[in-house]
Amino acid sequence: MSGRTGALRHVLNAAAIAAAFSVSAVSVVPSVLAAQAVAPERGAAALGSTLAGLGTTGRVLTIAAHPDDEDTPLIAWLTRGQHVETAYLSLTRGDGGQNLIGNELGEALGIIRTQELLSARRIDGARQYFTRAYDFGFSKNAEETLQHWPKDTILGDVVRVVRAFRPQVMVAFFSGTPRDGHGHHQVSGQLAREAFDAAADTVRFPVAGYGLPWTPLKFYRSARQNLASATVRMNVGAYDPLLGRSYYEIAAESRSQHKSQGFGVLQKKGAILDGVTREAARVGPTPATAERGLFDGVDTTWSAWRALTPPAVQPVLDSALQAIAAVRAQYRAQDPAPLVGRLADVVRMLRQVQAAIGAAPPMLLTSQPGAAATLGTRPRTMADPALWDAVLLTTTRAEQALVLAAGVALEATAPTPVIPVRDAAKDRVKDSLPVTITLFNRGTAPITLRHAYMRETPTAVGAPAASPVLLAADSAITVTRTAVAFEATAPWWRINGRREQDWFATPIDARDESRQQERTSTVAHALVEIAGIRVNVTAPVVYRFADPVKGDQQLPIMAVPGITLGLEHAMEYIRAGVPVQREVRVRVQSAYDTATTVTIALTVPTGLTADSVRRVRVLPARGSLVVTFRLAGTLPAGRVLLRATATHDGVASTAGYVALSYEHITPQHVYGASGMYLSAVSVKLPPRARVGYIVGVGDHGVEALQQLDVPVEAIDPASLSAADLSRFTSIVVGPRAYEANEELVRRNARLLDYASRGGTLVVQYGAQDMSRYPVTPYPLEWTRPAARVTREDADVRVLQPSSPLLTQPNAIGAADWAGWVQERATYMPSTIDPRYSTPIAMHDPDEPDNRGGLLMAPVGRGRYVYVTLALFRQLPAGVPGAARLLLNVINGAGPAPSVLHQD
C-alpha cells in the first residue's frame, strides 16, 4: 500500500460512514456540482421531459471497461428519447491512462475520470456504477488482465450491480473476444455475459453478500462498429423539439466531458444510426433478426404491474395512470400551474400503491469501511422487486414533476468552502459551519415549508420541530442551520487502499456513484408541502461567489480535518553521495474559524540535518502558511522517507490533501501522508549541461532535472522563432507536446534547425500515430493501434552497447531497468528509417522484439533522440534508472553551447 493510500485510511477510518439519503428525496440542483458543466434542462423543458417519462418502467444496464468506453449516443437516446432508466457500469475508473489536462496519474487520475463520467451522466441522464477493479494500464489480452484482477471478485461486483439496478435489458459494449484489443475490454465483455447468466444464481452468489436475485431478460452487444450485424438499429440523431437538439448532440456534449483523454467531439446534426446485436434472450421473437426493439417481448406495460398489485389497490393504480395521461394532455409550457393539483393527486395515489404492495426490497449496504456487505432483514411482506422499482420510479418522477410545476427552488450557501471534521473526543463548538438555506416559491400558488435542516448525525436527520411557514406565491424564506461533518470529503473507494495493487478493498454496494458520493457531501433538506403533498427537496451546500470573468461560481462544501499539512511532492530525486542543500516547504492549513497555534515538526532521514526540526506558528482563521526547512547533508543510494507533523491541542496531524480542480468536474480532495520519499540516485551529470524544456502532457521532466541539479529553463513554443536557442546544450520536448500545442507543430522546423547546428533535440513519445505531425527529421511509421510494451519488467536487450545513450555520462546496466512501474514503453514506431540507430529492443510475451523504445539519428552537426520509454510514469515514481537514462539522452552531442554555430 502506498503512503498516500495509507494516510487516507488513517484519516478516514475513524470517521463513521453517514447514512444514505432517502430514495424519495428530490434534488432540485445537481447533487454533485461541476463548476462549468452544462446544466441539464430546466423549467418547461425539464417539466415536459419528466412528464414524457412518467410511467415508463424500462431499465437498461450498459457495461464496458473504462471511462470513455460507453456508447453515449445509445445512452442519450435511451434516457432522453425513450425515457428508459439507464446506467453505465465501468469496470475501472481509468486510473492507468494518460492525462492531457494535468500531471495527475494513477489514483488521482482515476478520481478525475470518475468525476468526468459523473459530468457526462448529468448531461445524458444516465446513472453511473463501478466495480473495484483498478486500471493497472494497457493489457494486451484477457488472460493477462485476469492475472491482475481476481475474476470472481470483479464478476461478483458486476452481479451486485445487476441485482441492485435490476435491468430487463443488458448491453455490453465489447465482444469479449481478442478483436476488442485491450484486455480490459475483453474481460468487460466476458463478465457482462457471465453476470447475465448468473445474476439469479443464489448458490454461487448468495443473497447475503450480493443482494436479492435478479433475472435480466435480454442481452445485447454493441454493433456501433458493424451496423450490418445489428439486430436492432436506432436513429440516435433524432431531433427532440422540447430539448431543442438531437440525442446525438446531447451525447457529443456528454462525451466531450472526457477532457483528460482529449475526447472532445463535434455535435453533429442529422440522422445518425446506432445498433446492437442480440446474443441471448429469455423472451422475445425468434429468430433474433425479427427483433423490433430492445424491449420487444419484455412486458413493461402497467397491465403487467397491475396484475402484481393487491386487488384492493388496483383501482387506485388505474386512477393514478389516468391522472398521468390527463397531466400530459394538460401540459402547457408557458403555464404549468394548472398541473400542480393533478400531479399532487398522482403522487398521493402512487404512495398509496407503494404502501399497499409491501415493504421495499432491502438494499445491499455496507455500514463501515472495510466491512463485508450485508443485506437487511427480509420483511415478511416484501414487495415484488420489479413491481417496487416500477412504482418507485414513477412516484419519484411524479414528485420531480410536482416540484418543477410548482416552481420550487432550494439554495444552500456557506461562508467558506471547507468545514472541519468534528473531533469526537473534544467536540469543539467551532467544528461546525453556519448554512443559509433559502426556499423560493416561484410559482403562482402558496406552498408550506415544514422543516429545513441539515443531516446532522451519521444515523439520523436531526431537525428540531418547527412551526410550518406558509410561503406565498413569488416569495422566499431564509433560515440558518448548522452543518456538522463527521468524515472528510474524500473518494470513498480509496478508504481501504488496494489489494495486491490491482483492485480496491472497499466493497461496493447498491448505491450508484452519485449516491455513494452524497454520503460524505454536505446537503441541505427542506420538507415542503405542495397542494397537500409533502416532498423532501435537497440541495448541496455551496460556497458561492462572483468571478469577474466567469460570473456565478459555486463550489461544494468540502469537509476536511481541522489541521492539514503537506509537502510539495510525494517523491523527489536527490544525487547520492553528493553534499546537498535543499529547501523543503511544508504547507499547513487550518479549517477552524479562529486563530490556531500549531507546532510543525520535521523528521529527517539519517545523513541529512535541518536548520531546525520544530517551528511554532499561529494560523489565522481558515488560513494557511508555508514553513520552509533547509536541509543539508549526504545520502547513500536508495530511498528514504522524510516526514512532517503538525500538532494542535495535543493532537498530531500527519496528513493533508491535494485539491483537484478543473472547470468541467466537481473539485475533489486527494488525501495523502505528510511525507516525501527521497530517491537518492548515483548519477554523473552531463558536462556544461543547460537544458531548454518544452513541457508536455503529464510531464515531470523539469522537476526531475532540477532535483538532479541540472540547469533547466522552460521554453514557450510561441517564442521559438525569436528565442536564442544556442545557449542550450539540449532541448527536450515533453510527452505528447505536439498534440497539445499546435504552435509547436508550426515552429518545429526551428527545433530541427537547432539540432542541425550542433544541439541535441530530445522528443518524448507522442500520439499513437505521430506521422500526423510531420516533425521527425526522418520517416517513422506507426501501426494502429501503436505498439507498446506493457510489462514493466520486460527484458531489455542491448543491441548497441557502445551507444552514447547507454554509456555517457552514465553506464546503463541491468539494474537501471529494475523497479519500473506500469509499462516500459508506449506508442512505439513500427517502421524505422535506417538513419536512426536503435540501441535497445524489448517485447511483451509471445511478441517479436520492438526497437522503437529509444532512437537516435544525426541531424547536421547535432542529433535527434526519440524516446518512447515511459519516463512520464517513472520520473514521478522516483525510479533510479529513469533518472540516469534522462541524463544520458540530454547529454550534448556537439560542442559547448557558447560555440554553437551562428549565422
Side-chain angles (χ1 to χ4, degrees):
M1 179 182 298
S2 69
R4 288 184 175 273
T5 302
L8 182 67
R9 292 183 62 182
H10 175 76
V11 171
L12 296 183
N13 274 2
I17 296 295
F21 290 156
S22 165
V23 294
S24 62
V26 178
S27 296
V28 295
V29 293
S31 57
V32 183
L33 296 179
Q36 297 299 324
V38 176
E41 60 268 16
R42 294 177 287 183
L47 177 57
S49 182
T50 302
L51 292 177
L54 194 54
T56 304
T57 62
R59 288 174 178 263
V60 174
L61 177 65
T62 65
I63 301 177
H66 309 107
D68 90 328
D69 285 343
E70 75 270 35
D71 186 344
T72 47
L74 175 62
I75 289 174
W77 178 82
L78 284 167
T79 57
R80 301 302 191 190
Q82 308 304 303
H83 306 287
V84 169
E85 192 79 351
T86 307
Y88 172 49
L89 169 59
S90 175
L91 297 191
T92 77
R93 298 173 185 270
D95 325 73
Q98 301 166 41
N99 186 358
L100 283 177
I101 61 174
N103 289 339
E104 298 87 359
L105 294 172
E107 290 189 29
L109 178 57
I111 294 169
I112 290 172
R113 291 191 173 178
T114 295
Q115 292 302 316
E116 289 180 334
L117 273 174
L118 291 177
S119 292
R121 298 295 81 82
R122 282 191 289 273
I123 292 168
D124 61 36
R127 293 161 66 179
Q128 182 64 50
Y129 290 93
F130 295 94
T131 73
R132 284 175 283 178
Y134 177 73
D135 181 354
F136 57 85
F138 188 84
S139 171
K140 293 186 175 178
N141 54 63
E143 292 72 25
E144 179 191 8
T145 296
L146 292 175
Q147 291 174 6
H148 292 261
W149 297 344
K151 180 180 177 181
D152 287 346
T153 298
I154 307 307
L155 174 59
D157 286 351
V158 179
V159 168
R160 283 189 183 95
V161 172
V162 172
R163 291 183 177 182
F165 185 65
R166 295 193 279 264
Q168 296 103 337
V169 175
M170 294 175 60
V171 179
F173 290 142
F174 291 105
S175 69
T177 67
R179 71 171 180 264
D180 295 330
H182 201 318
H184 298 180
H185 294 171
Q186 296 178 42
V187 169
S188 76
Q190 294 169 6
L191 296 188
R193 176 57 194 271
E194 290 189 42
F196 174 82
D197 294 332
D201 185 345
T202 57
V203 175
R204 186 178 180 187
F205 299 103
V207 171
Y210 297 90
L212 296 175
W214 181 253
T215 304
L217 298 178
K218 302 177 79 173
F219 183 86
Y220 295 86
R221 294 196 188 274
S222 173
R224 57 181 166 171
Q225 303 299 331
N226 182 17
L227 282 176
S229 69
T231 50
V232 177
R233 297 178 182 83
M234 59 286 294
N235 176 17
V236 296
Y239 175 71
D240 189 318
L242 184 65
L243 303 180
R245 50 185 178 163
S246 72
Y247 307 120
Y248 189 88
E249 289 175 284
I250 295 170
E253 185 182 338
S254 170
R255 185 165 182 78
S256 295
Q257 301 310 302
H258 296 301
K259 299 183 189 302
S260 66
Q261 304 185 69
F263 280 165
V265 295
L266 293 173
Q267 296 185 25
K268 297 179 182 178
K269 297 178 175 62
I272 299 174
L273 293 181
D274 203 340
V276 294
T277 301
R278 196 180 87 181
E279 182 175 298
R282 298 180 171 100
V283 298
T286 302
T289 52
E291 287 268 24
R292 295 169 298 172
L294 288 175
F295 289 91
D296 197 355
V298 180
D299 192 350
T300 60
T301 66
W302 278 99
S303 60
W305 305 129
R306 186 181 190 278
L308 297 174
T309 59
V313 80
Q314 288 177 0
V316 179
L317 179 58
D318 294 339
S319 296
L321 297 175
Q322 292 169 7
I324 289 173
V327 166
R328 287 204 192 95
Q330 194 177 3
Y331 168 70
R332 299 292 182 272
Q334 69 278 11
D335 184 18
L339 302 182
V340 172
R342 286 186 178 273
L343 283 168
D345 290 339
V346 170
V347 173
R348 183 181 298 106
M349 289 183 283
L350 289 172
R351 288 179 178 177
Q352 290 178 28
V353 175
Q354 279 185 302
I357 63 178
M363 293 180 70
L364 183 70
L365 301 174
T366 54
S367 58
Q368 296 291 336
T374 58
L375 193 67
T377 303
R378 181 170 176 148
R380 293 180 182 176
T381 56
M382 187 182 70
D384 177 274
L387 173 61
W388 179 265
D389 288 341
V391 176
L392 174 62
L393 177 59
T394 305
T395 305
T396 301
R397 288 179 174 178
E399 291 171 347
Q400 293 170 342
L402 177 60
V403 170
L404 289 166
V408 173
L410 186 69
E411 289 183 350
T413 60
T416 176
V418 297
I419 176 176
V421 174
R422 179 175 286 278
D423 186 336
K426 303 206 172 190
D427 199 27
R428 298 182 184 89
V429 174
K430 61 185 176 183
D431 293 355
S432 60
L433 193 68
V435 174
T436 300
I437 302 175
T438 304
L439 180 70
F440 296 88
N441 179 2
R442 300 194 286 184
T444 60
I447 61 175
T448 300
L449 173 63
R450 304 198 69 89
H451 289 293
Y453 56 92
M454 306 296 302
R455 183 188 62 192
E456 293 187 353
T457 73
T459 57
V461 284
S467 300
V469 178
L470 188 66
L471 194 59
D474 197 20
S475 64
I477 184 172
T478 298
V479 298
T480 300
R481 296 291 183 264
T482 300
V484 178
F486 289 89
E487 60 179 296
T489 306
W492 65 273
W493 64 91
R494 298 184 70 236
I495 290 175
N496 295 291
R498 281 187 273 135
R499 293 181 179 171
E500 301 174 7
Q501 300 301 306
D502 293 326
W503 54 290
F504 292 101
T506 304
I508 68 168
D509 57 32
R511 303 174 181 92
D512 63 35
E513 187 62 28
S514 290
R515 291 193 179 279
Q516 289 282 16
Q517 298 197 19
E518 283 176 346
R519 295 161 62 192
T520 56
S521 299
T522 306
V523 176
H525 299 250
L527 184 59
V528 183
E529 189 172 304
I530 308 169
I533 293 295
R534 296 183 183 183
V535 181
N536 186 35
V537 182
T538 67
V541 181
V542 299
Y543 171 63
R544 189 175 184 181
F545 63 98
D547 182 276
V549 175
K550 300 175 183 177
D552 191 338
Q553 300 293 292
Q554 299 183 30
L555 300 177
I557 299 303
M558 308 283 271
V560 300
I563 300 296
T564 52
L565 75 166
L567 285 79
E568 284 185 289
H569 303 109
M571 174 77 69
E572 286 189 7
Y573 282 112
I574 193 168
R575 293 168 64 200
V578 176
V580 65
Q581 292 186 344
R582 182 166 297 188
E583 290 186 347
V584 174
R585 285 174 285 276
V586 182
R587 185 174 186 270
V588 190
Q589 187 163 341
S590 171
Y592 296 125
D593 57 6
T594 59
T596 307
T597 300
V598 179
T599 300
I600 303 100
L602 197 66
T603 302
V604 298
T606 301
L608 297 179
T609 59
D611 53 352
S612 67
V613 294
R614 193 177 304 274
R615 310 277 176 84
V616 178
R617 295 288 187 271
V618 177
L619 274 68
R622 301 194 181 101
S624 64
L625 53 81
V626 175
V627 178
T628 301
F629 295 87
R630 291 174 175 81
L631 303 183
T634 305
L635 288 177
R639 179 172 294 190
V640 295
L641 179 63
L642 181 151
R643 290 184 180 276
T645 305
T647 303
H648 163 65
D649 256 6
V651 178
S653 174
T654 59
Y657 62 85
V658 175
L660 302 180
S661 182
Y662 293 96
E663 289 189 346
H664 67 299
I665 65 171
T666 302
Q668 298 292 299
H669 287 170
V670 183
Y671 282 84
S674 56
M676 177 176 68
Y677 284 100
L678 296 174
S679 179
V681 186
S682 297
V683 293
K684 296 179 181 178
L685 301 184
R688 301 180 302 277
R690 183 172 182 83
V691 178
Y693 205 108
I694 299 172
V695 177
V697 172
D699 193 355
H700 295 265
V702 170
E703 294 94 328
L705 290 172
Q706 290 172 336
Q707 293 158 12
L708 293 168
D709 301 323
V710 175
V712 59
E713 178 183 331
I715 300 175
D716 182 355
S719 70
L720 279 174
S721 295
D724 176 14
L725 303 183
S726 66
R727 67 186 187 277
F728 300 117
T729 55
S730 58
I731 293 176
V732 179
V733 178
R736 302 184 76 171
Y738 289 105
E739 289 177 83
N741 196 308
E742 294 180 0
E743 194 73 23
L744 176 61
V745 177
R746 287 194 291 268
R747 301 181 189 277
N748 185 70
R750 182 79 167 88
L751 294 176
L752 294 177
D753 178 69
Y754 158 81
S756 71
R757 296 173 186 273
T760 294
L761 176 60
V762 179
V763 176
Q764 296 185 60
Y765 88 103
Q768 288 210 37
D769 184 1
M770 271 290 286
S771 60
R772 292 183 296 165
Y773 308 97
V775 295
T776 59
Y778 312 117
L780 296 170
E781 295 181 8
W782 282 259
T783 59
R784 188 72 175 176
R788 57 205 300 172
V789 176
T790 62
R791 291 287 296 267
E792 65 269 25
D793 58 352
D795 289 337
V796 177
R797 191 159 63 93
V798 177
L799 305 177
Q800 299 171 358
S802 61
S803 169
L805 298 180
L806 303 179
T807 58
Q808 300 175 12
N810 299 289
I812 302 300
D816 293 299
W817 302 107
W820 282 47
V821 297
Q822 187 160 325
E823 57 189 335
R824 283 286 194 212
T826 191
Y827 302 168
M828 306 165 74
S830 298
T831 303
I832 301 170
D833 187 280
R835 282 169 285 191
Y836 293 98
S837 64
T838 56
I840 61 173
M842 61 186 76
H843 65 271
D844 278 326
D846 302 320
E847 292 185 359
D849 263 348
N850 189 304
R851 300 186 176 200
L854 192 58
L855 311 177
M856 183 175 68
V859 179
R861 289 189 295 277
R863 68 179 176 181
Y864 179 91
V865 181
Y866 192 75
V867 185
T868 67
L869 296 172
L871 298 181
F872 76 104
R873 295 199 189 279
Q874 316 312 318
L875 296 179
V879 175
R884 290 162 53 82
L885 275 164
L886 177 64
L887 295 180
N888 280 20
V889 299
I890 67 167
N891 186 35
S898 58
V899 294
L900 285 177
H901 179 72
Q902 299 286 309
D903 283 338

